[in-house]
């Protein structure tokens, strides 16, 4: 038994798609979430900046004595985690390993598409890890930088979203992939439109859902679960305006979070 909380962070709201899955998969765990809303997006930044932000985010969550930290951000998981994973004395879990594991099992024709932010695609981390499983896999990657602002502004199922989905995914669809990794935690909010465009024959891999399953296994095998408690504590921290996070965050999580969000100065960490 281990009653410490699970720490989760993302550059903004996107990581809440992973939190929603963690709440379902692990209903007895307390969760502390940090959304770096003052510095979002990470996906267009240099690797040095992503490293600096990621280290600060981890240092902030460390102040809570958490049992594990989940990087619910595709960009920080791919462009920073491989370099910093041994710097901290707390287990850190990213979204890449779990999504790759699910994708290599899902594909039948060994053609996998990967979409993410520019930082994620530039890192080449998905291709690297997929090819470590099976060098015969073909990987087709595409950076989709407009998806994050669409999601952050609530354009989940709009005409403009359909047009941009077509613009970005036309090439990947034409390659005949049968599996598509949504390599950014914002993208599950666009799942409906992406799925309609890609067609029924393409399995979408939600990195947030996969990391939740991976985390459950990690608690089973190594870190231990919390005691069964009546009501879990969920706390949310942001580095910018609280009210917009509360409003959209409640939609992302499909639960009310008004009054549970605090603002911090992340530059101190
Ligand atoms: N949620 C972040 C990710 O998974 C994307 C947002 C950003 O660019 O910061 O990469």
């Amino acid at each position: 038994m281990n009653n410490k909380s699970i720490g989760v962070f993302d550059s903004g709201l996107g990581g809440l798609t992973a939190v929603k899955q963690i709440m379902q998969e692990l209903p007895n765990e307390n969760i502390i979430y940090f959304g770096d809303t003052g510095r979002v997006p990470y996906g267009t930044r240099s690797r040095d900046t992503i490293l600096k932000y990621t280290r600060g985010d981890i240092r902030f969550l460390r102040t809570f004595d958490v049992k594990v930290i989940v990087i619910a951000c595709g960009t920080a998981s791919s462009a920073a985690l491989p370099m910093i994973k041994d710097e901290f004395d707390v287990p850190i879990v990213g979204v890449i390993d779990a999504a790759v594991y699910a994708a290599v099992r899902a594909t039948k024709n060994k053609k996998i598409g990967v979409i993410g932010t520019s930082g994620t695609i530039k890192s080449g981390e998905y291709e690297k890890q997929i090819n470590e499983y099976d060098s015969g896999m073909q990987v087709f990657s595409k950076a989709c930088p407009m998806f994050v602002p669409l999601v952050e502004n609530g354009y989940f199922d709009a005409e403009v979203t359909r047009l941009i989905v077509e613009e970005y995914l036309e090439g990947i669809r034409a390659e005949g992939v049968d599996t598509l990794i949504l390599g950014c935690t914002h993208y599950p909010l666009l799942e409906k439109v992406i799925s309609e465009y890609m067609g029924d024959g393409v399995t979408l891999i939600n990195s947030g859902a996969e990391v939740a399953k991976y985390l459950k296994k990690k608690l089973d095998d190594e870190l231990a679960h919390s005691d069964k408690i009546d009501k879990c504590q969920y706390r949310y921290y942001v580095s910018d305006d609280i009210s917009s996070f509360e409003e959209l965050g409640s939609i992302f999580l499909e639960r009310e979070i008004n009054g549970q969000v605090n603002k911090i100065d992340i530059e101190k960490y």
Side-chain angles (χ1 to χ4, degrees), residues 92-133:
I92 303 175
V93 169
V95 288
I96 313 289
D97 308 31
V100 166
Y101 183 80
V104 296
R105 265 151 196 78
T107 184
K108 301 274 186 297
N109 69 4
K110 296 196 175 193
K111 289 184 176 189
I112 299 176
V114 179
I115 55 173
T117 66
S118 304
T120 297
I121 299 306
K122 245 190 275 165
S123 77
E125 198 56 30
Y126 272 107
E127 285 95 321
K128 184 172 154 256
Q129 292 204 22
I130 290 168
N131 288 133
E132 276 167 12
Y133 269 102

Side-chain angles (χ1 to χ4, degrees), residues 9-17 33 36 39-45 71-78 95 115-120 126 145 147-149 152 182-188 207 252:
F9 75 87
D10 175 46
S11 55
L13 285 150
L16 293 177
T17 61
Y33 181 82
D36 196 1
R39 304 190 296 197
V40 70
Y42 285 10
T44 49
R45 314 260 180 200
I71 304 188
C73 171
T75 310
S77 298
S78 54
V95 288
I115 55 173
T117 66
S118 304
T120 297
Y126 272 107
F147 282 178
V148 169
E152 293 268 335
L182 307 182
C184 168
T185 49
H186 280 69
Y187 298 178
S207 49
F252 273 54

Side-chain angles (χ1 to χ4, degrees), residues 217-265:
K217 184 154 177 3
K218 202 162 172 71
L219 297 199
D220 289 345
D221 297 348
E222 295 169 46
L223 301 173
H225 292 259
S226 291
D227 275 341
K228 190 151 179 50
I229 39 182
D230 287 342
K231 200 170 183 309
C232 287
Q233 262 201 348
Y234 299 135
R235 280 177 285 170
Y236 307 90
Y237 295 87
V238 292
S239 50
D240 200 7
D241 181 48
I242 289 177
S243 59
S244 55
F245 183 86
E246 284 179 336
E247 196 185 311
L248 268 179
S250 301
I251 299 173
F252 273 54
L253 281 174
E254 294 176 49
R255 71 163 60 219
E256 201 51 71
I257 59 169
N258 287 355
Q260 297 164 49
V261 185
N262 291 293
K263 186 175 170 192
I264 58 134
D265 179 1

